[in-house]
Amino acid sequence: MQRPVAIGVQSFAKLRENSCFYVDKTHFIKDWWEGCDETTLIARPRRFGKTLTLDTVKTFFSPEYAGRSELFEGLSVWNEEKYRSIQGTIPVVFLSFANIKKIRFSSLKKEICLLLSNIYSDYEFLLASNILTEAEKVQFRNISADMSLDEASSSLHYLTKYITRYYNKKPIVLLDEYDTPLQEAWLHGYWDDAISFFRDFFNSTFKTNPWLERGLMTGITRISK
């Protein structure tokens, strides 16, 4: 039976659940994991499959998909017991800047803060878990669409700390289209404001973060550019 070709689908689970045509690229998971780099950037042209690759990584590692071996059976990453044993066992924080396209910095700030606030809302169960101090609960509740830039830039740094404490495992952080808001900032004349924030955000999330297991970013621009 010929498998359907799903155009534009960026969900790995959806492709597999619907038995769609899929070119096996799960060997990337093994190559990436054994590379031991703390943070990796995939810089490739648009429509290159970057978002689907990130979603595949998320689906493989996230506890949300624990026990979903049928999604990976028959694929290359499933050939080794080492990888079968870690599927669904490492927490994953996933965010995308794909829709952060604003002509003013104030609008970009609000959109970024809303995105981060929505990510925090997915982890509200941490507030009831008794793993946070009172000061940490205040920090957690301060994450909102109206928070300051300083609070936004350090938000994932603190969230990965809380996740590590809850799961007793450091999380993976996946960021899709890291450079989309920076391209908009360059085009619309607020580059200095944007790069000041994102330098702090990238540094606290990916560079000086002791609670990060691995970071994986995608974009079309090399960091040096």
Side-chain angles (χ1 to χ4, degrees), residues 178-195:
Y178 89 93
D179 52 349
T180 294
L182 290 171
Q183 293 169 29
E184 295 299 308
W186 180 262
L187 289 173
H188 297 292
Y190 56 88
W191 172 261
D192 289 343
D193 289 330
I195 198 63

Side-chain angles (χ1 to χ4, degrees), residues 4-5 12 53 63 75 85 87 99 131-132 142 150 155 166 175 181 209 225:
V5 177
F12 172 79
T53 297
L75 301 180
S85 67
Q87 192 273 319
N99 295 321
I131 67 161
L132 304 183
N142 283 343
D150 287 341
S155 59
Y166 181 84
L175 172 56
N209 188 350
K225 294 295 185 180

Side-chain angles (χ1 to χ4, degrees), residues 24-202:
D24 186 2
K25 295 184 179 180
T26 59
H27 56 277
F28 168 80
I29 296 172
K30 179 177 180 292
D31 292 343
W32 175 61
W33 197 250
E34 294 184 357
C36 296
D37 294 324
E38 190 162 278
T39 300
T40 302
L41 170 66
I42 301 175
R44 294 292 186 273
R46 299 190 188 281
R47 316 313 306 168
F48 208 81
K50 300 185 296 298
T51 299
L52 178 58
T53 297
L54 279 196
D55 191 76
T56 304
V57 172
K58 172 190 173 183
T59 305
F60 183 79
F61 287 106
S62 175
E64 178 185 353
Y65 294 93
R68 298 294 307 277
S69 61
E70 76 279 4
L71 296 175
F72 294 93
E73 288 173 355
L75 301 180
S76 64
V77 74
W78 211 246
N79 291 334
E80 295 185 36
E81 171 59 29
K82 172 184 176 180
Y83 290 94
R84 294 196 296 271
S85 67
I86 64 174
Q87 192 273 319
T89 65
I90 301 176
V92 177
V93 178
F94 182 96
L95 66 159
S96 173
F97 287 167
N99 295 321
I100 310 296
K101 301 176 181 179
K102 302 298 178 182
I103 64 174
R104 291 184 296 273
F105 180 68
S106 59
S107 298
L108 178 139
K109 173 186 176 294
K110 185 173 183 179
E111 198 72 16
I112 288 287
C113 290
L114 182 60
L115 173 64
L116 294 169
S117 177
N118 287 336
I119 291 172
Y120 260 68
S121 68
D122 292 337
Y123 292 92
E124 283 190 349
F125 62 86
L126 295 174
L127 290 171
S129 65
N130 297 319
I131 67 161
L132 304 183
T133 67
E134 290 304 314
E136 289 170 340
K137 289 179 181 179
V138 170
Q139 184 277 328
F140 194 106
R141 294 189 176 103
N142 283 343
I143 301 301
S144 69
D146 300 318
M147 64 181 152
S148 69
L149 286 175
D150 287 341
E151 289 172 317
S153 65
S154 62
S155 59
L156 291 191
H157 183 92
Y158 286 112
L159 183 60
T160 53
K161 176 182 179 181
Y162 307 152
I163 291 173
T164 299
R165 194 181 300 165
Y166 181 84
Y167 286 99
N168 200 30
K169 286 186 177 180
K170 297 178 182 181
I172 295 167
V173 177
L174 306 177
L175 172 56
D176 195 24
E177 296 202 29
Y178 89 93
D179 52 349
T180 294
L182 290 171
Q183 293 169 29
E184 295 299 308
W186 180 262
L187 289 173
H188 297 292
Y190 56 88
W191 172 261
D192 289 343
D193 289 330
I195 198 63
S196 177
F197 165 74
F198 284 111
R199 278 191 182 124
D200 289 343
F201 177 80
F202 293 146

